[in-house]
Amino acid sequence: MPEHSRQALSDYAVAHTTKPDSIFDDIARDAQTTPSAGMMSGRTVGYFLNTLVAITGAQRVLEIGTFVGYSALMMATALPEDGELITLDVSEEFTSIARKHWARHPDGHKIKLILGPATETLDTLEPQFDVVFIDADKDNYPEYYEKSLNLLSPKGIIVVDNVFQGGRVLQQDVPDDQRSASTRAVQRLNEIVQNDERVNNVMITERDGLLLIRRRDAHLA
Ligand SMILES: C[S@@+](CC[C@H](N)C(=O)[O-])C[C@H]1O[C@@H](n2cnc3c(N)ncnc32)[C@H](O)[C@@H]1O
């Protein structure tokens, strides 16, 4: 599909997805003040996650990669009143924007932020999580996947963002030293999951690619 058609369809998808509260526009506006505005998930991925949390009846959610708090708040609004969302990030600067907006939203109290390298924080968390959203530094994706699977509830779902890497995952025959470390790590993750007999997975072509993963033995739980 030509790139302009893909962009047009993406805009069409946004235009046909429920418009969130104005606070999400405020978060998106603040994201633009950072040098990394493109990292924010946005309306379609946000509502996709929100719907997933709602239909699974999730009680506990884990997010790896907070940024300015858009996806965290999207998921938190679908949690029950006593639900909990733990989100991990290394950046005080980005997450101070997130905390400012969560503080003025009625569901913000469900969100707990833990600052520090996620590979280390993940080792300190109590299982189990019903939904895990992996959306931090790509180099660590294979490790995030393995640790998330260990923290997942039997019927839980892992969602991994950016599994297309802007299309660079298609660079299969390019020598290692000509592909970025992030591209190689995401390609490796995609292969690990595809060959992992513990799970079933489905890749979705929305935006920069989402990978949904659930335990194969979930029906026994
Ligand atoms: C793509 S953004 C997250 C976007 C957010 N989930 C959303 O959709 O709005 C990735 C975040 O991962 C954080 N990050 C990068 N390296 C990290 C690490 N080693 N541990 C935890 N977070 C990290 C960055 O600071 C950044 O805020």
Side-chain angles (χ1 to χ4, degrees), residues 3-14:
E3 196 46 42
H4 67 273
S5 308
R6 197 176 155 86
Q7 185 57 50
L9 281 173
S10 202
D11 294 345
Y12 186 81
V14 170

Side-chain angles (χ1 to χ4, degrees), residues 3 45 61 63 76 81 87-88 93 96 106 132 135 142 154 163 214 218:
E3 196 46 42
V45 172
V61 173
E63 175 179 72
E81 194 51 29
T87 181
L88 317 181
E93 185 196 339
S96 64
V132 180
D135 190 22
V163 292
R214 63 190 283 268

Side-chain angles (χ1 to χ4, degrees), residues 110-131:
K110 301 171 190 168
I111 305 174
K112 181 181 170 199
L113 169 70
I114 305 180
L115 280 179
T119 49
E120 291 170 26
T121 310
L122 285 167
D123 292 335
T124 68
L125 299 177
E126 290 289 325
Q128 295 174 332
F129 293 93
D130 307 306
V131 172

Side-chain angles (χ1 to χ4, degrees), residues 39-41 63 65-67 70-71 88-91 94 116-118 133 135-137 144:
M39 292 204 301
M40 204 193 79
S41 51
E63 175 179 72
T66 316
F67 190 39
Y70 190 100
S71 49
L88 317 181
D89 208 290
V90 278
S91 170
F94 296 153
F133 180 42
D135 190 22
D137 51 316
Y144 292 153

Side-chain angles (χ1 to χ4, degrees), residues 32 74 85 109 163 204 215:
Q32 296 294 331
M74 268 284 180
L85 183 146
H109 68 93
V163 292
I204 299 194
R215 304 184 83 97

